[in-house]
Amino acid sequence: MELKEYMQILRKRIWIIIAFVAVACIGAGVKNYFLTVPIYEANAKLIVNQAYNAQGVPSLDIGSIQTNIKVINSYMEIIKSSAILDKVAATYPDLGMNGNQLGQSIRVSTANESQVMSLTATGLSSEKAAKTVNAVAKVFKSQIPVIMKVDNVTILSEAKPTDSSKPINVNPVMNILISFLVGLLLSIGFIFLLEYLDDTLKTEDELEKELGIPALAVISRIRKEEARFSKQSTTSQKQVGDGQYATVNQ
């Protein structure tokens, strides 16, 4: 099929494209504004620096990159363990979460060859997200000397509610744009599927292309207005005398 034929197929069923795109965009708008619960995110940063024991004497050398990576990886596991999260839940009961719930809302990451850990928490408000991540950071810093017998964690920056004032899961413009593209692609695919399944011949050109011979005559479709006019113009007989009839046009 040529490009012109493809365009004719789409133009013939343009209402399908409009319907698909409208439903997709309206659905995305309703979901974003009325059905989506906004979720906020807050970040705090921790740094693993030179370790000191209780007497202030260096006890751990993390100068080499390989050792640094191993220490950071261990701390990332410790910060999400029940030893830390249960302590956070007990110390900050106003958060309204237990250790398992805190583990689901906390994410820890770090860049390669870096001593900085990024701690991220999510919540239903920016204030709660910031309070959660700061609570985990403080408890982790206070428990590391007990768990690792070294004091080498410092809070580099705490989260502020103003830094996460916008929800991370609500982006109406982007979601509606994606819905528009998805609706457009689905409608085009649906139109071509209908065209593939439709084996009827609707025009004289299609008939000639299918049979390979010219059409000699075409029976056109009569519209209702034409049929009504034709009915009014039919002939009828009226009696004009004794036993005599005349045919007249009405």
Side-chain angles (χ1 to χ4, degrees):
M1 298 178 66
E2 298 180 356
L3 180 60
K4 184 183 294 185
E5 294 178 348
Y6 284 121
M7 297 305 296
Q8 290 176 351
I9 292 173
L10 295 177
R11 193 181 300 113
K12 183 172 57 177
R13 293 189 170 94
I14 188 66
W15 62 271
I16 295 180
I17 297 178
I18 296 175
F20 269 69
V21 171
V23 170
C25 292
I26 293 174
V30 171
K31 181 180 183 300
N32 275 270
Y33 288 106
F34 300 103
L35 302 179
T36 299
V37 178
I39 297 177
Y40 298 84
E41 188 177 80
N43 296 277
K45 292 186 181 299
L46 305 172
I47 184 170
V48 179
N49 50 19
Q50 182 64 47
Y52 293 88
N53 59 17
Q55 289 74 31
V57 179
S59 60
L60 180 63
D61 180 17
I62 57 173
S64 65
I65 296 176
Q66 189 62 33
T67 304
N68 180 31
I69 293 175
K70 290 182 179 180
V71 170
I72 294 293
N73 290 338
S74 298
Y75 282 6
M76 289 174 62
E77 293 297 323
I78 293 173
I79 203 171
K80 297 193 69 175
S81 66
S82 59
I84 299 299
L85 299 182
D86 289 345
K87 183 72 173 179
V88 173
T91 307
Y92 297 89
D94 54 325
L95 293 176
M97 293 187 291
N98 55 33
N100 292 331
Q101 293 172 332
L102 285 170
Q104 295 175 359
S105 63
I106 291 293
R107 187 175 70 254
V108 187
S109 61
T110 183
N112 292 332
E113 302 181 4
S114 173
Q115 295 176 254
V116 178
M117 292 189 301
S118 180
L119 187 60
T120 304
T122 57
L124 299 180
S125 66
S126 57
E127 292 79 8
K128 185 172 183 178
K131 190 171 184 178
T132 300
V133 74
N134 290 335
V136 174
K138 292 176 181 178
V139 171
F140 175 71
K141 180 182 181 302
S142 65
Q143 291 299 304
I144 277 298
V146 179
I147 297 174
M148 298 293 291
K149 306 304 180 183
V150 290
D151 186 7
N152 64 337
V153 175
T154 303
I155 298 177
L156 191 62
S157 62
E158 293 187 359
K160 298 179 181 179
T162 55
D163 297 336
S164 55
S165 57
K166 294 183 178 180
I168 61 174
N169 64 331
V170 177
N171 191 345
V173 176
M174 181 60 64
N175 291 337
I176 292 176
L177 179 60
I178 293 175
S179 300
F180 174 84
L181 296 176
V182 172
L184 181 63
L185 294 177
L186 288 177
S187 62
I188 292 175
F190 183 69
I191 288 174
F192 284 125
L193 176 62
L194 291 179
E195 188 68 22
Y196 175 77
L197 297 176
D198 187 5
D199 57 356
T200 59
L201 301 176
K202 298 182 177 61
T203 64
E204 182 181 350
D205 293 336
E206 292 179 357
L207 179 63
E208 293 180 354
K209 184 177 180 180
E210 181 69 21
L211 300 179
I213 56 177
L216 299 179
V218 177
I219 301 176
S220 60
R221 178 177 297 177
I222 301 177
R223 294 178 298 179
K224 292 183 178 180
E225 294 80 3
E226 296 176 349
R228 190 180 301 111
F229 178 78
S230 177
K231 184 177 180 181
Q232 292 175 353
S233 300
T234 56
T235 61
S236 62
Q237 290 184 339
K238 288 187 176 181
Q239 187 174 5
V240 296
D242 186 14
Q244 297 180 354
Y245 293 86
T247 301
V248 296
N249 290 328
Q250 294 183 346

